[in-house]
Amino acid sequence: MKIIPISLPTPFYIGAVNVYLIKEDPVTLIDTGPKTRDAIDALRAGLRANGLTTGDIRRIVLTHAHEDHCGLARSLRDEAQDAEVFVHGWETGHRAARLEHEENLRLLQRAGVPDDEIQSMRRLYEEVRQYADSLDEDHCRELVDGDELEFDTGALRVVHTPGHTPGSCSFVREADRTVIAGDCVLKRITPNPVIAVDPIDPSRRFRSLAEYLVSLARVRSFAPTLVYGGHGDPVHDFEELFNRYLKLIRERQASVIASIPKGGATAWEVSRAVFPNADDVHSFLAVSEAVAHLDYAHSEGKLALEIGDGREVYRRMPTD
Ligand SMILES: [Zn+2]
Ligand SMILES: [Zn+2]
């Protein structure tokens, strides 16, 4: 079973996105790229170089429902006619629920994000949304942890690797321990745990960093020889990346905790202190990162959490 990476341009800060063509029966595309003319042209060229057209695609599998990965899913499915789209059940709801939903607004309010910032985050999100068609649950087949995507010549095992988003999935070819990991594993940057509603209990926040650490350990348990990420070059030395990520996460934990003044701070205030230059979409990602780390530190008993005025205020433990 041949896994063929195809790099597609995106209009986003992160740059090009990797999609993966499995040129076996059934012809399968893992991730699709954003809904832009440049991306579809590059995808068609990549398929053509392998003797295929979009009409040959029989299965579209999504690592997660971010616009740079899922944007073309619906139009490709329509072009290929009887292609099926597979995505984890926690992603379709997640995508439908992003910033436009009340629960997501409340998450930002609880994190102490000022109203004008929330408004500008929503405006930016409206721009991002145009790069993907919406995917209704009834358009998709559900990816379930442990399932196998079968091919003529082998199979890929579905591994649920939440963290970056609640329904992120990776795909493992056990024969040679190759992993396609989406945004769970990126060679040059640590993936951002994006603030999200808990898919099981929408009144709660998804514990993105704790989940992410479990997912990293799970990928590691396969002792991968090669990991294909959603952006950038493949990773040959996963052990090095794993240790580097853990070190970076530990360092960020320390700087997040250290940034909290005596009187306590909201996640928004922490994000401004730790990432003073973050603006535009980065202020959303910065507050996501702050929330993820604060939740984790709180769950480890390193911080106290009080709710006042509808906002959560974190304090260092008195013994500190
Ligand atoms: Zn992503
Ligand atoms: Zn991505």
Side-chain angles (χ1 to χ4, degrees), residues 63-69 164-165 168 182-183 192 194 231:
T63 58
H64 65 299
H66 278 162
E67 285 74 8
D68 46 342
H69 298 260
H164 176 63
T165 65
S168 284
D183 286 356
N192 190 279
V194 178
H231 304 272

Side-chain angles (χ1 to χ4, degrees), residues 257-272:
I257 293 170
S259 78
I260 300 175
K262 258 210 152 29
T266 65
W268 172 253
E269 287 159 350
V270 167
S271 77
R272 300 321 289 167

Side-chain angles (χ1 to χ4, degrees), residues 184-191 209-224 227 235-250:
C184 180
V185 175
L186 301 176
K187 188 163 186 174
R188 300 177 79 83
I189 50 168
T190 51
L209 184 54
E211 294 284 348
Y212 183 63
L213 290 167
V214 173
S215 294
L216 271 186
R218 192 140 182 238
V219 171
R220 188 185 185 215
S221 74
F222 293 98
V227 183
V235 173
H236 294 274
D237 187 351
F238 182 76
E239 201 58 22
E240 182 276 329
L241 176 136
F242 179 82
N243 289 313
R244 182 158 47 89
Y245 272 16
L246 287 196
K247 182 164 173 279
L248 288 168
I249 289 169
R250 263 199 302 274

Side-chain angles (χ1 to χ4, degrees), residues 121-134:
M121 287 175 188
R122 289 185 97 172
R123 273 195 301 278
L124 282 166
Y125 182 61
E126 283 305 312
E127 281 170 39
V128 170
R129 256 164 56 119
Q130 64 176 303
Y131 297 113
D133 286 319
S134 65

Side-chain angles (χ1 to χ4, degrees), residues 235-307:
V235 173
H236 294 274
D237 187 351
F238 182 76
E239 201 58 22
E240 182 276 329
L241 176 136
F242 179 82
N243 289 313
R244 182 158 47 89
Y245 272 16
L246 287 196
K247 182 164 173 279
L248 288 168
I249 289 169
R250 263 199 302 274
E251 286 168 3
R252 180 134 305 156
Q253 273 283 288
S255 64
V256 160
I257 293 170
S259 78
I260 300 175
K262 258 210 152 29
T266 65
W268 172 253
E269 287 159 350
V270 167
S271 77
R272 300 321 289 167
V274 177
F275 308 102
N277 299 321
D279 57 4
D280 292 342
V281 69
H282 299 282
S283 61
F284 173 72
L285 297 176
V287 75
S288 284
E289 181 93 11
V291 164
H293 277 274
L294 291 164
D295 275 345
Y296 192 67
H298 177 237
S299 71
E300 287 207 309
K302 290 178 182 159
L303 295 175
L305 172 60
E306 290 161 25
I307 301 184

